Amino acid sequence: MMLKRKVGALLITAVALLGADFQEGVNYTKLDQPLNVEKNTIVKVFSFTCPFCYKYDKAVTEPVITQVLKDKPEASFEVWHLYSKGKYGQQGSNLMAVARARDIKAGITSVFDKHGLLKKMKFTYYKAYHDKNQRWDSGEDDFYKAGFEILGISSKADFEKEVASPEVQELLKRWEPAYPIAKIQGIPAFVVNGKYLLKTQAIKSRDYMVELVEYLLKK
Amino acid sequence: MNCKITDFWRDLKTSPINTIARWQDARFLWIVMAAAAMMLLLTAHNLFQHYVYMAPCEQCVYIRFAFFCMVFGGIIASIKPSQIVLKIVGYILGFWGIIQGIMYSIKLNTIHHAAHGDDPFGVQGCSAEPSFPLGLPLDSWFPDWFLPTGACGFDNPIPPEGVEFSALQQWLIDFYSEGWYLIPSMHLVNMAQACLFAFIVCFILLGAMCISWIIRDLFRKDNNQTIEDIN
C-alpha cells in the first residue's frame, strides 16, 4: 500500500513537472454508469456523519469550487446528501432537500451563499454530530429539532407535507445515485461531468484539486 | 517450573534454532499466539466498544479480522503442531493476519492523522460499506463485531444519553474522551500505532518460529536424517 502511494506520488510529481495530462486510474476513475447530469456539472456526495466531508467543507470545497467557477463560469456545482449513511441518513436527506428546494425558490443558486439554508443545515448537523457528539438517541423528533428551527417549521406534519412537494421529491430523486457513487471509494466523492470520479487519495492540495477538476471539465 | 524455565533459557542460548524449532513443534507457542490475539479482540470488543462506548471504524473492524486470522491459525496449529499440514495452515493464517493487520494499521494511522490534523489530503477516508478479504460478508453475519459504526479515524467514546454509568465506566469514558491513546493526556501512541506494534511483535516471533523450523528441517539434512531415523 505504501509502495502504491509512493508510486502515485511520483507519478503526480512527474505529471506536474511535465505539465502532462492527469491519468485515469491514478488521478480519477471513469464511472461505469455515468450520472444523468448536464454537461459541466460538478457533483459532490456527502453525509453529515462523515468526518472527512466536514473537513472538506470547512477548508477545501468552497475555495476549490469558487476558483473553478471563476475560471469556468459555465460550470455548476451541486451537493447531494447520502441518504443511506447513519441512523438518520434519510431524515438528514429530507432536511437538506427541503432546505435546498427553498434556496432555489428564493433565487439562491450557489450552495456557498451565506444566506443559503442548505449551508446552514449542513453545518448545524456537522457541528452537532462531530463537535458535540450528538447522536439523538431519544429518536427522530430530537434529531429534527435543530433542522425545523432553521426552516421555521413547527410540526412534523408540516415538514412531511413539504417533503412530499414535487420540488423536494425531484431533488431527492436526483440525489439517489449518491449511494452507488459512495460505494466506489467512500465519501466525500466528487464527480465531474457525470463521468469522472476524483480519486480522493490522490488529492494533495487545493491547487491540485482545482487543476484536476478543470482538466476533467474540459475532457 | 522455575528449573524448567532456566533449562529452556539455557537451551535457547546454546542452540537457538533447534530450540525454537522444537518449541514450535509443541502446542504452547501456538496457544500463546491464539490467546494473545483473542485477548486483544476481547479487550477491543467488550471493554472499549461495549463498556466505554468507543464505536469501531472501518479500518478497526479490518484489524479485528486480522487478529481473528491469528486466533484461528493458532488454534488449528495447536490441534497437533507436529502434523505438518496443520502447522502450515497455522503459519499461513498467522502471517496472513499479521501482514493484513500491518497494512490496515498503517492506513488507519494515516487516516487518523488526516482526520485530526489540518491537512485532510492524501487519504480516502472510509468506504460507505466495508469489504472483507475473500468477499466475506462478516459485517452482516456478525454486525456486533464487524459492522463499522464509528466515524472514520475517530474512536472517542460516545455514550448514549440518559444512561447511568458506574464510577469506573465514567472514569474510562472521561479518560478516553479524546480517543484512545496509550497516554491520552499527551495524545501519545494512538490505537493504530499500538496495533501496528502488536502486529510487528507477532511478526518477529512467528517469523523466528518459521525460520527456525525451515532451517532445521530443510537445510540441515543430517538433522533431518536423525529425525526420520528416530521416527
Side-chain angles (χ1 to χ4, degrees):
Chain A
M1 195 203 79
M2 286 299 274
L3 187 71
K4 231 160 83 189
R5 286 193 55 188
K6 277 200 185 122
V7 172
L10 257 174
L11 272 170
I12 289 157
T13 325
V15 164
L17 283 174
L18 296 168
D21 289 348
F22 291 105
Q23 278 188 355
E24 189 182 331
V26 180
N27 316 94
Y28 63 92
T29 311
K30 198 170 172 188
L31 298 178
D32 295 332
Q33 291 218 305
L35 298 175
N36 185 21
V37 294
E38 301 74 19
K39 204 174 154 30
N40 292 322
T41 307
I42 306 155
V43 169
K44 184 188 77 171
V45 174
F46 82 107
S47 154
F48 70 88
T49 64
C50 144
F52 281 94
C53 300
Y54 187 24
K55 284 235 140 193
Y56 266 71
D57 264 339
K58 270 199 288 195
V60 183
T61 317
E62 185 168 347
V64 166
I65 298 299
T66 310
Q67 184 60 47
V68 171
L69 297 181
K70 213 162 104 192
D71 297 341
K72 213 173 165 23
E74 63 272 38
S76 67
F77 180 64
E78 292 181 17
V79 292
W80 295 4
H81 188 261
L82 176 60
Y83 62 90
S84 61
K85 195 172 182 326
K87 191 174 164 191
Y88 296 113
Q90 187 60 60
Q91 287 88 337
S93 275
N94 292 350
L95 284 173
M96 308 278 173
V98 168
R100 182 66 189 143
R102 284 207 198 171
D103 283 348
I104 294 169
K105 218 177 220 172
I108 297 173
T109 45
S110 165
V111 292
F112 304 121
D113 195 309
K114 64 175 191 288
H115 302 295
L117 288 173
L118 178 68
K119 185 172 180 168
K120 221 181 215 170
M121 191 67 78
K122 227 168 50 174
F123 276 97
T124 300
Y125 281 95
Y126 272 144
K127 279 181 195 150
Y129 192 91
H130 301 281
D131 298 344
K132 296 180 208 141
N133 283 338
Q134 265 179 275
R135 292 296 183 269
W136 308 281
D137 298 309
S138 53
E140 200 182 69
D141 292 344
D142 192 23
F143 173 79
Y144 275 136
K145 215 185 281 167
F148 283 6
E149 210 166 289
I150 292 171
L151 298 169
I153 285 176
S154 51
S155 79
K156 207 151 119 187
D158 288 348
F159 177 66
E160 274 159 7
K161 221 170 90 190
E162 203 167 335
V163 172
S165 73
E167 297 85 13
V168 176
Q169 283 301 311
E170 201 178 307
L171 269 180
L172 286 171
K173 202 166 160 31
R174 190 170 173 84
W175 295 356
E176 264 171 24
Y179 179 59
I181 294 296
K183 264 183 22 177
I184 299 171
Q185 58 158 27
I187 48 176
F190 294 85
V191 180
V192 179
N193 270 341
K195 273 187 290 196
Y196 306 109
L197 173 68
L198 264 57
K199 279 211 169 231
T200 333
Q201 199 171 9
I203 300 173
K204 301 288 181 223
S205 68
R206 289 180 198 88
D207 291 344
Y208 168 99
M209 197 173 156
V210 170
E211 276 174 40
L212 180 57
V213 172
E214 288 182 355
Y215 166 83
L216 293 172
L217 278 171
K218 270 184 247 149
K219 231 173 124 67
Chain B
M1 190 62 202
N2 228 339
C3 173
K4 228 177 167 183
I5 289 169
T6 4
D7 281 353
F8 269 160
W9 189 238
R10 199 195 51 224
D11 288 351
L12 186 65
K13 270 201 286 194
T14 46
S15 136
I17 286 173
N18 281 337
T19 310
I20 297 174
R22 205 173 66 232
W23 287 353
Q24 59 89 51
D25 283 336
R27 282 205 176 102
F28 177 69
L29 287 181
W30 294 103
I31 292 173
V32 168
M33 176 169 101
M38 199 62 222
M39 198 195 71
L40 291 174
L41 281 166
L42 289 173
T43 313
H45 178 260
N46 293 28
L47 178 70
F48 292 129
Q49 180 179 343
H50 280 251
Y51 194 68
V52 195
Y53 301 101
M54 297 161 86
C57 75
E58 189 189 0
Q59 299 303 316
C60 309
V61 298
Y62 295 158
I63 289 173
R64 286 182 180 183
F65 171 78
F67 278 124
F68 265 109
C69 289
M70 293 169 63
V71 171
F72 287 119
I75 290 173
I76 290 169
S78 64
I79 294 170
K80 194 166 190 267
S82 53
Q83 176 57 247
I84 193 153
V85 177
L86 292 179
K87 184 148 58 189
I88 288 175
V89 172
Y91 275 123
I92 289 175
L93 277 173
F95 277 123
W96 194 53
I98 291 169
I99 291 163
Q100 296 261 328
I102 287 175
M103 292 187 340
Y104 296 140
S105 304
I106 291 172
K107 181 155 187 204
L108 179 59
N109 189 42
T110 339
I111 290 174
H112 178 96
H113 284 296
H116 287 77
D118 298 323
D119 178 10
F121 299 112
V123 295
Q124 220 148 279
C126 296
S127 309
E129 278 173 12
S131 58
F132 291 91
L134 312 173
L136 293 170
L138 293 174
D139 51 317
S140 45
W141 287 347
F142 311 103
D144 190 36
W145 279 84
F146 291 110
L147 184 71
T149 43
C152 201
F154 288 89
D155 46 19
N156 312 42
I158 300 182
E161 293 156 30
V163 176
E164 288 273 322
F165 305 116
S166 70
L168 174 65
Q169 214 171 2
Q170 188 63 54
W171 185 82
L172 283 166
I173 289 169
D174 294 340
F175 189 66
Y176 291 118
S177 63
E178 283 170 55
W180 192 95
Y181 290 96
L182 194 60
I183 307 172
S185 60
M186 295 167 73
H187 285 198
L188 203 69
V189 185
N190 64 32
M191 182 74 88
Q193 291 158 346
C195 289
L196 182 62
F197 178 75
F199 283 120
I200 289 174
V201 169
C202 293
F203 185 77
I204 293 169
L205 296 179
L206 196 66
M209 287 162 63
C210 187
I211 288 169
S212 304
W213 173 55
I214 290 171
I215 291 177
R216 186 199 61 187
D217 286 15
L218 291 181
F219 293 104
R220 291 193 185 158
K221 291 277 189 251
D222 37 330
N223 230 340
N224 237 353
Q225 212 65 50
T226 39
I227 288 167
E228 271 164 25
D229 288 347
I230 294 163
N231 285 344

